[in-house]
Amino acid sequence: MPRVVPDQRSKFENDELFRKLGRDSELRYTGYRDRAQEERQMRFVNSCREGHAQLSFVATGTNLHLQFYPNSWSETTDRKPTKEYVDFDKEIGKVCLKSQFILNGVCVIWRGYIDLNRLDGVGHVEFDSQRAKEEDEIYRATMEQQNRRLREFEERTMLHRKEFEQQVGREVST
């Protein structure tokens, strides 16, 4: 099953969800809501340092579990967020975050910041053209392989059908 849709850019530009998420929108950290604010702040900072966090777009109610490191789609287990993805130093009292992922079959980059005291902030998604190109190549190769297998299957089926018909014809004639 392909991970992306055939025309990612078109879907990103025309889909209502992407139009909403593409604008700067209010965000909230959604982890550990049942805990005290100080504990939530500590857990949020620790999660960011580990390379992940649960955030929600307030206006749309879209919840995301984001991962903040390069190649988040890869199988590697050695994942450490870099300053490009988690930056506590850019603005005092805030953490600037970046995440790459596939959303509804479209490669996107999420960018935003979260206030470390209030645990809310602003963020948006952008079309990730570089990753989209890579995923599109994988998609095309997968589809070609699938079509090749289907042709081979159909050829084997036809061959078996002809052999069966010949065998039945020989049995009938004897």
Side-chain angles (χ1 to χ4, degrees):
M1 185 68 155
R3 300 190 301 181
V4 296
V5 295
D7 189 0
Q8 295 180 60
R9 182 173 296 280
S10 176
K11 181 166 183 177
F12 182 83
E13 292 171 351
N14 298 316
D15 189 277
E16 184 64 27
L17 176 66
F18 289 111
R19 276 193 291 240
K20 288 179 182 178
L21 299 180
R23 295 185 291 257
D24 276 344
S25 302
E26 184 182 353
L27 301 165
R28 286 214 177 99
Y29 172 61
T30 58
Y32 305 98
R33 288 186 229 181
D34 59 333
R35 305 295 171 95
Q37 183 71 1
E38 296 78 25
E39 183 179 352
R40 291 185 74 226
Q41 291 166 338
M42 180 189 69
R43 288 183 182 261
F44 174 69
V45 169
N46 288 339
S47 292
C48 287
R49 291 188 195 286
E50 292 170 2
H52 60 89
Q54 297 171 8
L55 300 174
S56 176
F57 283 87
V58 175
T60 62
T62 304
N63 294 299
L64 301 172
H65 186 89
L66 300 174
Q67 299 176 344
F68 309 119
Y69 36 79
N71 298 329
S72 60
W73 50 83
S74 71
E75 300 294 324
T76 182
T77 57
D78 182 33
R79 297 180 173 168
K80 302 282 188 235
T82 63
K83 197 170 193 85
E84 177 186 357
Y85 291 85
V86 178
D87 190 350
F88 286 97
D89 300 326
K90 191 171 185 178
E91 290 186 54
I92 296 173
K94 296 179 181 178
V95 59
C96 295
L97 302 167
K98 174 182 171 184
S99 180
Q100 297 173 286
F101 56 98
I102 298 172
L103 176 64
N104 291 354
V106 178
C107 295
V108 296
I109 298 173
W110 177 89
R111 294 179 198 273
Y113 70 85
I114 300 292
D115 183 287
L116 295 173
N117 291 321
R118 296 188 324 259
L119 298 178
D120 63 5
V122 174
H124 66 276
V125 295
E126 305 168 357
F127 182 66
D128 187 350
S129 57
Q130 179 181 352
R131 183 67 187 157
K133 182 179 177 185
E134 294 169 10
E135 284 292 331
D136 191 53
E137 290 172 8
I138 293 169
Y139 170 81
R140 291 186 193 290
T142 302
M143 293 308 291
E144 178 57 38
Q145 183 180 31
Q146 200 171 6
N147 289 337
R148 183 179 45 79
R149 286 181 178 169
L150 183 59
R151 283 190 304 273
E152 290 172 358
F153 174 76
E154 289 171 348
E155 289 171 2
R156 284 193 310 270
T157 303
M158 284 289 260
L159 181 64
H160 289 296
R161 185 176 295 135
K162 286 181 182 178
E163 289 174 356
F164 179 74
E165 289 171 356
Q166 289 173 353
Q167 183 181 2
V168 168
R170 284 192 301 266
E171 291 175 359
V172 169
S173 63
T174 56

